[in-house]
Amino acid sequence: MRKVIIADDHPMIRGALTLAVVSAFGRVEIVECSNLAELIEQLTEAGDADLVLLDLKMPGTHGFEGLLTIRSNFPATPIVVISALEDPQLVAQALSLGTAGFIPKSTPRAELVAALLLVAGGGIYSPPYLNGETYEAVQPAEDDTEFARRASTLTPQQRRVLQLLGTGKLNKEIAYELDIAETTVKAHVSSILHKFKVYSRTQAVVMAQRMHLDTFGEARET
């Protein structure tokens, strides 16, 4: 392990994760990012990192948007999700998108270090218990896993169009907000429907909401 990037908008969380990384790996290069743009810039400059610890909700990203962006552009970079959201289905969906682990922010230091060592050794970490349920009880359904695979093929712009579709905006409104032509929006929508294998905008939005690709709704991280 040579380089670890910690992406979280809370300085105290980044500090705690830094201590855990040092405990697990000793002297490694640690880079801290507070938003998605900084993370992408770091990965672009470095080419890759040995490990990215990624907060699911920070400036520049909602839901799994940031995760999918990194997976699409830097597929060789291992990602571990660090989140205050501990819903078992969320864990299952994150792992189905190809992450190397999902670590709740409430995880004790010793277990966090053990989780990092597991990932470094090629394993996949999932919390043993969430809300009294074992992770094995909430493995994603086969159709969810297949949809996650399809969702990972969306471009960043297509994901943004999908988010705006979820707010009920018309094509011309999306075009105005993204400063692109309405014909370009129509092309993006058509591509989204093709990749999701659905026939309507509503179906696409419903599927995206089920996989938390649009937002976390009323949930907020601490």
Side-chain angles (χ1 to χ4, degrees):
M1 190 69 62
R2 298 184 303 264
K3 181 173 183 176
V4 177
I5 299 179
I6 299 173
D8 193 292
D9 60 331
H10 295 284
M12 291 184 64
I13 296 296
R14 294 200 303 271
L17 291 173
T18 294
L19 291 175
V21 169
V22 171
S23 296
F25 307 125
R27 297 184 62 180
V28 296
E29 180 184 358
I30 300 175
V31 178
E32 296 185 16
C33 302
S34 61
N35 56 62
L36 183 63
E38 289 180 4
L39 174 57
I40 292 176
E41 181 180 356
Q42 285 292 334
L43 287 171
T44 300
E45 291 180 356
D48 267 313
D50 294 301
L51 180 64
V52 171
L53 303 181
L54 177 67
D55 182 15
L56 281 180
K57 186 169 180 59
M58 59 181 177
T61 183
H62 296 277
F64 289 123
E65 179 186 6
L67 171 59
L68 289 171
T69 297
I70 302 305
R71 290 283 296 155
S72 297
N73 293 284
F74 308 95
T77 299
I79 302 171
V80 170
V81 168
I82 306 290
S83 180
L85 302 171
E86 301 186 9
D87 175 72
Q89 192 60 42
L90 186 68
V91 176
Q93 291 168 348
L95 295 179
S96 74
L97 289 171
T99 63
F102 188 109
I103 303 177
K105 290 183 178 179
S106 61
T107 302
R109 169 79 65 80
E111 186 176 342
L112 175 54
V113 171
L116 293 175
L117 290 171
L118 173 66
V119 170
I124 297 177
Y125 177 84
S126 62
Y129 294 97
L130 287 174
N131 300 323
E133 298 181 66
T134 61
Y135 169 72
E136 287 76 9
V138 290
Q139 287 283 359
E142 184 176 350
D143 58 343
D144 281 350
T145 301
E146 172 59 20
F147 175 69
R149 186 193 63 77
R150 296 177 201 164
S152 68
T153 67
L154 293 180
T155 67
Q157 187 77 307
Q158 288 169 354
R159 289 196 290 273
R160 183 60 180 144
V161 169
L162 180 59
Q163 286 182 326
L164 293 174
L165 286 177
T167 67
K169 291 185 182 295
L170 302 174
N171 285 350
K172 63 180 180 180
E173 295 172 319
I174 295 174
Y176 176 79
E177 182 154 341
L178 298 182
D179 194 25
I180 57 179
E182 187 173 350
T183 53
T184 302
V185 174
K186 291 180 180 178
H188 282 318
V189 171
S190 177
S191 183
I192 291 168
L193 299 184
H194 175 73
K195 289 180 177 180
F196 282 7
K197 296 185 179 180
V198 295
Y199 303 98
S200 73
R201 297 154 66 105
T202 300
Q203 286 177 304
V205 169
V206 169
M207 292 182 73
Q209 289 172 341
R210 190 178 75 189
M211 289 295 293
H212 302 275
L213 298 180
D214 59 336
T215 180
F216 283 127
E218 300 301 318
R220 293 291 181 270
E221 298 226 20
T222 57

